[in-house]
């Protein structure tokens, strides 16, 4: 591992200045450091400066999650544990707390941050292994396309079949989430526009510009929202398929729905076909509900080893919808 400088700026402004400091050729922000340290250990990145922002945006005695007008504000450095246990989120945007309550492990959740979770790099085992010079590292091959691809995308357009790993991203998508940024042309970016497909840029998954950093996130309170993840095991593990749902209800009938899936595509995967099919569906009409959720996979193109995800995704969507409507886990 190369030597690097460590900066501990006292404000986001100072962090941004350090990012633009000409003395550094590759300065990188470190929040919780969970994903970044994995990258350093594997030799996937070789920064000459780490800028530690873990404690920024946090005032002693003040919650990092607060109401801001008609939105909820989550500081970028809020930990996943704080999100999972937040009373404000549990009452007004439960999908976000549900998204993270079982993610990773208690140790990871107590350190990992909201912005770091959104910007963590993909889990593709070829990308994570320094011995594979894949497309994402400037090589000419996606080893997963024809190789071991059981955890990879069922929605993809090439030249890389990663899945977006963040649990928070699909939940924020249905809650009209927005990241607030500093240091670039824009002040805010809707979550729906934060990520891009590999064909639009293979070396990163997000649309932040060089020198831009996230200061906080805002989202809309939604009474009927829910999240459901399907994993291989219930302890720390990344989901195989996950879904977030935000509903408007007329009694027991769905008036409108917003649905986004995770772990199935290189970006949080919006499902407008399911949203359309859910309109007018009664929550007690199980066959109509299943038929609407089945539409989640109509655009899927599974790879050799991940066809099973086309069975999981409709289940995750249906359980997220039922959870949004307050109908519990519904493990049928
Ligand atoms: C065993 C294990 C299981 C896991 N399971 C899950 C899971 O089920 N679901 C899930 O979603 N995640 C899971 N994770 C991933 C984990 O949640 C992320 O690695 C973590 O959230 C990253 O947050 P961090 O604060 O540590 O980010 P860091 O590692 O510090 O940073 C990650 C990236 O974000 C950038 N960054 C951080 N903050 C900012 C900012 N404010 N502005 C701009 N750039 C920034 C950094 O420069 C870096 O590139 C798991 C991790 C482990 C180890």
């Amino acid at each position: 591992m190369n030597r690097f400088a460590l900066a501990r700026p006292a404000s986001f402004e100072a962090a941004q200045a350090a990012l633009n400091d000409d003395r550094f050729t590759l300065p990188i922000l470190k929040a919780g450091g969970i994903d970044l340290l994995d990258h350093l250990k594997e030799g996937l990145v070789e920064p000459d400066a780490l800028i530690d922002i873990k404690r920024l945006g946090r005032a002693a005695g003040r919650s990092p999650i607060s109401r801001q007008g008609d939105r909820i504000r989550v500081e970028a450095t809020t930990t996943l544990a704080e999100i999972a246990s937040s009373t404000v989120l549990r009452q007004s945007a439960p999908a976000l707390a549900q998204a993270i309550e079982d993610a990773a492990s208690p140790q990871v959740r107590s350190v990992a941050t909201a912005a770091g979770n959104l910007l963590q790099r993909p889990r593709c085992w070829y990308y994570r292994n320094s011995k594979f010079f894949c497309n994402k590292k400037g090589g000419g091959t996606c080893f997963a396309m024809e190789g071991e691809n059981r955890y990879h995308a069922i929605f993809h357009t090439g030249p890389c079949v990663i899945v977006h790993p963040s649990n928070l991203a699909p939940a924020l998508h249905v809650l009209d989430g927005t990241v607030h940024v500093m240091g670039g042309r824009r002040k805010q970016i809707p979550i729906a526009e934060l990520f891009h497909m590999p064909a639009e840029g293979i070396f990163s998954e997000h649309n932040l510009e060089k020198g831009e950093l996230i200061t906080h996130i805002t989202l809309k309170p939604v009474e009927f929202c829910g999240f459901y993840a399907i994993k291989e095991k219930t302890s720390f593990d990344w989901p195989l398929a996950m879904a977030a749902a935000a509903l408007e209800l007329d009694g027991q009938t769905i008036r409108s729905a917003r649905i986004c899936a995770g772990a199935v595509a290189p970006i949080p995967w919006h499902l407008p076909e399911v949203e359309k099919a859910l309109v007018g569906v009664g929550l007690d009409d199980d066959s109509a509900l299943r038929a609407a959720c089945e539409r989640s996979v109509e655009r899927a193109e599974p790879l050799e080893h991940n066809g099973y995800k086309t069975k999981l995704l409709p289940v995750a969507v249906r359980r997220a919808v039922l959870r949004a409507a307050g109908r519990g886990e519904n493990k049928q």
Side-chain angles (χ1 to χ4, degrees):
M1 198 185 292
N2 283 359
R3 288 163 67 90
F4 51 78
L6 179 65
R8 289 226 162 88
S11 64
F12 279 118
E13 286 78 6
Q16 198 228 317
L19 270 182
N20 291 316
D21 190 325
D22 290 341
R23 287 174 300 163
F24 305 132
T25 49
L26 186 57
I28 298 191
L29 296 172
K30 184 199 89 57
I34 299 282
D35 198 38
L36 183 58
L37 292 186
D38 273 356
H39 276 71
L40 292 175
K41 284 187 277 185
E42 193 57 36
L44 296 173
V45 288
E46 294 195 335
D48 56 354
L50 287 192
I51 303 165
D52 188 354
I53 57 168
K54 185 167 169 43
R55 285 175 185 78
L56 301 186
R58 310 181 59 105
R62 207 190 72 202
S63 169
I65 299 164
S66 57
R67 291 190 185 273
Q68 187 174 52
D70 60 356
R71 310 235 335 143
I72 298 171
R73 174 177 171 136
V74 178
E75 302 304 329
T77 54
T78 306
T79 65
L80 304 188
E82 287 167 329
I83 291 175
S85 65
S86 158
T87 311
V88 171
L89 291 175
R90 291 245 160 232
Q91 285 169 354
S92 305
L96 200 65
Q98 291 165 6
I100 221 67
E101 65 195 353
D102 295 324
S105 63
Q107 292 88 342
V108 171
R109 292 196 295 273
S110 69
V111 175
T113 67
N117 183 269
L118 291 175
L119 302 182
Q120 63 176 299
R121 307 300 310 273
R123 301 304 308 177
C124 171
W125 37 34
Y126 297 108
Y127 165 70
R128 293 266 165 179
N129 188 326
S130 58
K131 295 193 181 74
F132 288 91
F133 190 44
C134 72
N135 277 338
K136 281 194 90 57
K137 297 174 206 155
T141 309
C142 173
F143 295 95
M145 196 87 81
E146 307 288 331
E148 291 295 340
N149 49 36
R150 63 181 179 274
Y151 298 131
H152 291 75
I154 54 171
F155 303 100
H156 46 88
T157 53
C160 160
V161 291
I162 54 160
V163 294
H164 201 273
S166 165
N167 280 42
L168 286 186
L172 283 168
H173 189 111
V174 302
L175 298 170
D176 191 27
T178 296
V179 295
H180 296 254
V181 295
M182 175 186 278
R185 290 172 291 129
R186 307 151 294 182
K187 289 212 160 29
Q188 51 191 60
I189 309 171
I191 288 288
E193 295 166 23
L194 182 61
F195 305 103
H196 60 253
M197 291 293 276
E200 293 150 33
I202 191 85
F203 298 120
S204 80
E205 297 75 48
H206 61 74
N207 295 321
L208 290 185
E209 291 164 4
K210 190 171 177 294
E212 243 176 356
L213 55 80
I214 299 175
T215 56
H216 61 283
I217 300 161
T218 59
L219 57 125
K220 195 170 84 174
V222 173
E223 183 180 359
F224 299 110
C225 64
F227 182 95
Y228 199 94
I230 299 177
K231 307 199 278 187
E232 262 176 345
K233 56 183 189 296
T234 50
S235 64
F236 64 89
D237 206 2
W238 276 264
L240 302 168
M242 51 183 151
L247 307 177
E248 285 183 318
L249 297 176
D250 266 335
Q252 295 304 304
T253 302
I254 297 171
R255 181 162 11 117
S256 75
R258 186 134 179 101
I259 309 288
C260 187
V264 288
I267 57 175
W269 198 246
H270 182 207
L271 290 166
E273 53 277 60
V274 179
E275 293 173 354
K276 215 167 135 201
L278 282 171
V279 173
V281 170
L283 292 166
D284 293 318
D285 186 347
D286 193 47
S287 61
L289 190 56
R290 283 176 194 268
C293 296
E294 215 39 67
R295 297 199 59 186
S296 59
V297 288
E298 66 187 21
R299 285 182 286 152
E301 293 180 76
L303 302 163
E304 188 181 351
H305 303 295
N306 69 3
Y308 72 95
K309 285 196 181 193
T310 63
K311 303 272 184 265
L312 297 189
L313 183 58
V315 175
V317 172
R318 183 169 140 275
R319 289 178 183 174
V321 168
L322 289 171
R323 219 175 171 190
R327 301 217 170 180
E329 295 287 343
N330 207 315
K331 296 267 185 201
Q332 297 159 38

